[in-house]
Structure formats: structure tokens, C-alpha cells
Amino acid sequence: MDSTTWSPMTNATASPLAPHERIRNAADISVIVIYFVVVMAVGLWAMFSTNRGTVGGFFLAGRSMVWWPVGASLFASNIGSGHFVGLAGTGAAAGIAMGGFEWNALIWVVVLGWVFVPIYIKAGVVTMPEYLRKRFGGKRIQIYLSILSLLLYIFTKISADIFSGAIFINMALGLDLYLAIFILLAITGLYTITGGLAAVIYTDTLQTAIMLVGSLILTGFAFHEVGGYDAFMTKYMNALPTVITDGNFTVKEECYTPRADSFHIFRDPISGDLPWPGLIFGLSILALWYWCTDQVIVQRCLSAKNMSHVKAGCILCGYMKLLPMFLMVMPGMISRILYTEKVACTVPSECKKYCGTEVGCTNIAYPTLVVELMPDGLRGLMLSVMLASLMSSLTSIFNSASTLFTMDIYTKVRKGASEKELMIAGRLFILVLIGISIAWVPIVQSAQSGQLFDYIQSITSYLGPPIAAVFLLAIFCKRVNEQGAFWGLIIGFLIGVSRMVTEFAYGTGSCMQPSNCPTIICGVHYLYFAIILFVISVVIILVVSLFTKPIPDVHLYRLCWSLRNSKEERIDLDAGEEDIQATPEETLDIEVPEEKKGCFRRAYDLFCGLDQQKGPKMTKEEEEAMKLKMTDTSEKPFWRTVVNINGIILLSVAVFCHAFFA
């Protein structure tokens, strides 16, 4: 419909203003400016008030965080703008089932806080691959896992988040997609590269508050516009686009009608788009990988003061994870009701007109809602929300990725690197990451029939299960050894990649043009594929381990569940190598007179936190005491009872939610 024929009746289909002209008003712009100023201020405050000149300070925030920033940061690094765009888009396309993905996490954050983190802390590790090295010995697993994790970050998290954030900025400000991406990354990179984990966690806490407030307001507006929950259920089932023909070609009916099971989480195990056994078992495997073994998440928990703070943070995050169903999935569905032509378009030429891709426009469901529904001022707030979610998950990933690179890969290449060199290497690596991620964006644009969240989940289910299997067995089965774990990872990886490559080669296809990938490969739903891959990996790991010799207990004290409370001295399997690396540093402690630095050099050091003076060297006893404090998992009995009761309440809430919407 042409915009000149606009009348009050047709304002649902034709808007008189291009979306990006709507934000050009004083209220919106000032809100966005204030937002950026506040974020920068919090980032700078965290930067100068915490210790980031050491590896422990930059990567673990000096183990001093209390529970609420930990919980908020867990939530913020999990919910990126990919969730806003992806969950709302899938909601618009297929109903509420994707919300079940979020609720699955309620169970796994409890497992994370009560089972996995105590073991990681007792092992005294900074990164996940480092835990595997202590548990199995050898270098190959550690290096392999670091590289795989970095690839997963680039393929799923970073590129999907950048892409969805850019969709938003593109709609809101009318900037070119790639220019938008560049501006975003410049700001985000700035405080991650300079500030370290403490800056990331405090800004995350601020972003979480903004995210929740903004999306609550939007949800209120959206439900008000539709006329309440009951009206929303009936109207959604009738939200059909009017344009369904293109020349002499008519779209099949099932391509544009909302699914009959739109309001059920558990769907038919064979014909459903998210079959219920897959949602319960397959998704749990992915959640085990994501919540319990992923660097981004675990690093947040390791930065907490003590075990009670870890558990409380996990519980807080769990309660927040109840919200995305109501704050993202349902607004996405409402967007389909209000802007049916745009969001639910099926004819490729129409979709190209609305959002630039032919496979479908459900990805713009949330941005459209924000730009069209919100009044001035609040629209700016919501744009800040999207930027907040984007930046918080990006900063988290950048920090964790550079931790992985620095601690697990770089230290292997340069054996005796000084702390300062490590800090600089970590910061340069973030720049490299940014470059690679931008290059991957075009592929994300066209994948999985334009449903971003499906794309993220499907790649995860091809690459995640072997890692989940290795960690699960490493902790619960002390018979597993290095050979078993290594071959399980490698063979699992090859199976997963072969499926991933086939799928991308044939294209995922859409309802309009189904892909001609052979059914035996692509016909298996990705959640079922995750279950199969997980089982294969577990079998390989166990079989190979049983045919090779076991690891003696002396190497495993406090590294697996059955030996978690042992008090004996553990001899690390990698003890030999570490001694070699530790010797040269002690010979270099001749006093060097401080040279005068130029003012540029001083400013640079201050900016990167390298100027903090070296503290006095710790004596052996102090070092031992420090080590004990870092690996201490004891809790005060009162607080232990409080968090345990809360954990049980959280689990029952999770069960109730699944049952209510099943």
C-alpha cells in the first residue's frame, strides 16, 4: 500500500514515517545519550577502582564479587540482543515453544551452582580447558577445547548478536548495517579491552536493570494495544498476511498460518517443530554445555566471593530467566498481530521490500514493535535496552574469549611470557575477534529460514554435545582418562561438523523452497541429533577409557565428584611442565631503577591498568594461605540453608511453569 493513501483506518499497514525518522526527536536522542554517558561512567569507575593490572584481576575480578552483580551478569551475558531479536522472531513465527528454551535454564543454573562450580573452585582453575588439563593431563585436550570454544563464540554468539543489534540500529537510525556494526564494536571494545572483568560485571548489572525495566514497559504497552491476554490468544491464531500470491504462484497455506500448537511448549514428537523429547533431553544436553561448562558463564561464578554468593547469584539468574517468555516471546507474537503484513510476510519479493532478506521477516518483530508502539523518550529507552543487551553479552564474550586465548593458547606459544605481555596479548586478541566476527555476519543473515534463534541452537547442537559429555564424565566418572576424552571429543566433533557442513551446503531451506538435503542427514531434528551425538560421545569416551590404563587417584583429589572432599595433597598431572615455567622468573628479580616515563606512555599505562605498582613479593606461607582462600568452598551453615531452600523453590517453580504451559 502506498504511503500517500494513508488514513486513520489503515495505519496498521502503512506508516507515514520511515522508522528511522521517528527517533529524531529531542526526547529519544537525549535518553540514548544519557544512557551511554552512564554506562561509560560505570565502566570507568569500575576500571579505576578495581585491580586490573594482574591476570587474576583482569580475568577474574579479583574474586571479590557479591551475589547480586554475579546473578545480574550471568543473566546479562546470557541474554544478548540475539535473544530479543531471535526469541521474538521465533515467537512470531511459531508460538511460545522457544520460551521453553529459557525455562530449561532454571534447572541448569542450580546444577551449575551446586555441582560444577564447587569442583572448579576446588581445582583452582581460571578457564574450563585448564580444568580438563588438570583432570586428564596432556596438552592436546586443552588446546583443542580452547580453539573449539573460540570458534563457537564467533559462529554463534558474537556474529548473531552483532547482526541482531545491527538490524535494530538500522531500523532505528537508518544507518548502513556495516557502519552500525562498526560503531557498536568501537564502544564495546573500548571498555572491555581496558577494563577487564570487574568493569564488565558492573556494567552488566546496570544493563540488566535497564533491560528489565525497558522490556517490562514495552510488554505492558503491547498487551494494552492487543486488549489483554485472552484477546492476544485469539488474535494471534488469526494473524494471516493478505499478500499470498506473486504472479501466478500462490503460497502454501501452512506457510503463513500460525501453528495449531502455538500455545503449547510440548509438541508432537515426530511432526512438531520443537518435539517434546528433544525439548526435555536434547535441550538439557545443550544447556549442560552452555550453563555448566561454558567459559562465559562459569567465569562469572568464579569471580564471586564465596560459595554462598555463587549459589545466590545462580538463583537470582534463574528467577530472571522466567521473564524472557513474557518479555520477548509474547511481544514477538503481538508484533505479528499488529504488523501482520510486515512480520508474517511469505512472498519473497514482499519480504525483501520490508527487511531485505527473502526468507522471511520474523527477525524484525521486536524492533518493529519498539519503533512503532513506544512514545517518544521511551523509544530511546528501548533502543538503549537493545544496545545494553548487545553490549553486555559482547563484552562478556570478548573478555572470556581473550581469557581463553591468553591463558590456554598464548602461554603455550610463549612459555615465559611476563604478566604484562599476557595482558597486552589478551587485549590485541579482542581486536582480531572483532574482525573475524564482522566477516561472518552475511552468512547469519540467510541461515535457518531467517530465524536467528534456530540458527544459534542448531549450530550449538552440532558442536556442543561432545564437550558436555566430556565434562559430565570428567566430574562423575573417575575411570575416564585422557585417551578416552580426546577421542570422544574428536570423533564427536567430526560427526557434528559433517552434519553442519551438509546443512549449510544444501541451505536450510524455508517453507516456500524446502531444501533438497537428503532426509537421512537433515531429516533428524537438531535436538534429536544432539541426543544421538551425546550418546555416541559418551560410549566412545567410556570404551576407549576402559581399554587404556586408569589415572591413579593421587592425581584426582578434588577434581571429581567422588573425591571432592579429600584432604590429601594432589600431584597435578601437569606438575612437571609448570615447574619448568616457574623457574626463570625468580632469577630476574634484580631491582631495576624506575625509568621516567613520558606523558603519553603514562596515559597509555593508566588506560590499560598496567601502571599499578608491583606489590611486595609474597612469602611462601602467604602464597599457601592465598591458595587456600582461592580454593575454599566452605559456607556458613545459616547461609547454606538459605540458598539451599531457595534452590529447591526455584526448581519447583521451573516444574510448575513447564506443566502450566505444556
Side-chain angles (χ1 to χ4, degrees), residues 483-557:
Q483 289 83 354
F486 181 72
W487 288 110
L489 277 174
I490 293 293
I491 294 171
F493 174 72
L494 292 175
I495 299 172
V497 159
S498 55
R499 157 95 193 234
M500 186 173 114
V501 169
T502 336
E503 198 165 278
F504 278 128
Y506 280 106
T508 42
S510 60
C511 186
M512 307 283 310
Q513 303 129 336
S515 115
N516 50 2
C517 170
T519 317
I520 186 163
I521 300 177
C522 300
V524 183
H525 190 277
Y526 62 82
L527 289 174
Y528 286 152
F529 184 79
I531 302 178
I532 298 168
L533 185 55
F534 182 76
V535 172
I536 294 177
S537 306
V538 168
V539 170
I540 293 173
I541 295 171
L542 288 175
V543 170
V544 176
S545 294
L546 291 173
F547 277 108
T548 46
K549 63 178 200 291
I551 300 177
D553 277 3
V554 66
H555 299 307
L556 298 181
Y557 293 132

Side-chain angles (χ1 to χ4, degrees), residues 342-598:
K342 208 181 208 176
V343 175
C345 68
T346 45
V347 179
S349 54
E350 283 288 298
C351 293
K352 189 103 179 127
K353 188 176 80 187
Y354 286 124
C355 63
T357 49
E358 295 188 354
V359 283
C361 283
T362 50
N363 277 343
I364 63 167
Y366 203 84
T368 309
L369 203 57
V370 171
V371 173
E372 308 274 344
L373 253 194
M374 299 294 263
D376 293 352
L378 284 178
R379 196 181 298 122
L381 176 75
M382 281 312 294
L383 187 68
S384 328
V385 167
M386 289 297 297
L387 295 180
S389 67
L390 173 73
M391 287 165 62
S392 65
S393 52
L394 280 185
T395 46
S396 306
I397 293 164
F398 285 156
N399 184 282
S400 298
S402 71
T403 312
L404 276 179
F405 173 77
T406 314
M407 308 302 281
D408 291 334
I409 299 174
Y410 193 78
T411 49
K412 300 284 173 292
V413 185
R414 297 255 329 184
K415 287 282 191 319
S418 66
E419 186 133 345
K420 188 170 176 180
E421 187 183 333
L422 291 180
M423 308 298 299
I424 292 172
R427 288 169 168 138
L428 287 176
F429 179 69
I430 296 179
L431 295 176
V432 177
L433 263 188
I434 292 175
I436 300 173
S437 314
I438 293 181
W440 186 251
V441 170
I443 299 173
V444 183
Q445 238 170 340
S446 57
Q448 278 289 356
S449 57
Q451 284 186 36
L452 185 69
F453 208 69
D454 266 1
Y455 159 82
I456 301 176
Q457 296 300 350
S458 58
I459 285 204
T460 311
S461 27
Y462 306 149
L463 302 179
I467 306 179
V470 166
F471 273 95
L472 195 66
L473 291 173
I475 286 181
F476 288 110
C477 171
K478 65 177 197 189
R479 180 64 184 78
V480 170
N481 60 15
E482 200 266 351
Q483 289 83 354
F486 181 72
W487 288 110
L489 277 174
I490 293 293
I491 294 171
F493 174 72
L494 292 175
I495 299 172
V497 159
S498 55
R499 157 95 193 234
M500 186 173 114
V501 169
T502 336
E503 198 165 278
F504 278 128
Y506 280 106
T508 42
S510 60
C511 186
M512 307 283 310
Q513 303 129 336
S515 115
N516 50 2
C517 170
T519 317
I520 186 163
I521 300 177
C522 300
V524 183
H525 190 277
Y526 62 82
L527 289 174
Y528 286 152
F529 184 79
I531 302 178
I532 298 168
L533 185 55
F534 182 76
V535 172
I536 294 177
S537 306
V538 168
V539 170
I540 293 173
I541 295 171
L542 288 175
V543 170
V544 176
S545 294
L546 291 173
F547 277 108
T548 46
K549 63 178 200 291
I551 300 177
D553 277 3
V554 66
H555 299 307
L556 298 181
Y557 293 132
R558 296 180 299 288
L559 288 181
C560 50
W561 190 249
S562 53
L563 301 171
R564 66 187 186 284
N565 293 327
S566 54
K567 294 278 179 278
E568 292 88 349
E569 178 74 24
R570 176 177 75 227
I571 303 174
D572 279 338
L573 284 163
D574 52 6
E577 306 165 28
E578 290 194 350
D579 293 347
I580 304 167
Q581 291 182 25
T583 40
E585 298 192 358
E586 283 151 28
T587 55
L588 299 175
D589 267 7
I590 315 150
E591 277 297 307
V592 184
E594 278 277 316
E595 48 186 303
K596 278 302 221 194
K597 296 180 178 173

Side-chain angles (χ1 to χ4, degrees), residues 56 59-65 70 74 112-113 116-131 197 201 292 294-307 309-311 314 403 629-633:
F59 293 134
L60 280 187
R63 296 256 350 231
S64 59
M65 288 292 166
V70 170
L74 278 174
L112 167 72
F116 282 82
V117 173
I119 297 225
Y120 296 144
I121 291 184
K122 284 181 170 157
V125 293
V126 178
T127 68
M128 295 299 92
E130 188 186 351
Y131 167 75
L197 187 66
I201 288 187
C292 303
D294 187 8
Q295 182 67 28
V296 177
I297 298 294
V298 176
Q299 196 176 0
R300 300 287 163 283
C301 290
L302 293 180
S303 69
K305 259 185 180 158
N306 59 34
M307 246 355 269
H309 282 286
V310 173
K311 291 177 178 176
C314 288
T403 312
K629 178 179 170 286
M630 291 298 254
T631 57
D632 172 41
T633 57

Side-chain angles (χ1 to χ4, degrees), residues 229-244:
Y229 189 77
D230 294 330
F232 154 66
M233 288 176 76
T234 39
K235 286 183 181 170
Y236 177 76
M237 299 312 282
N238 302 323
L240 306 171
T242 49
V243 184
I244 50 171

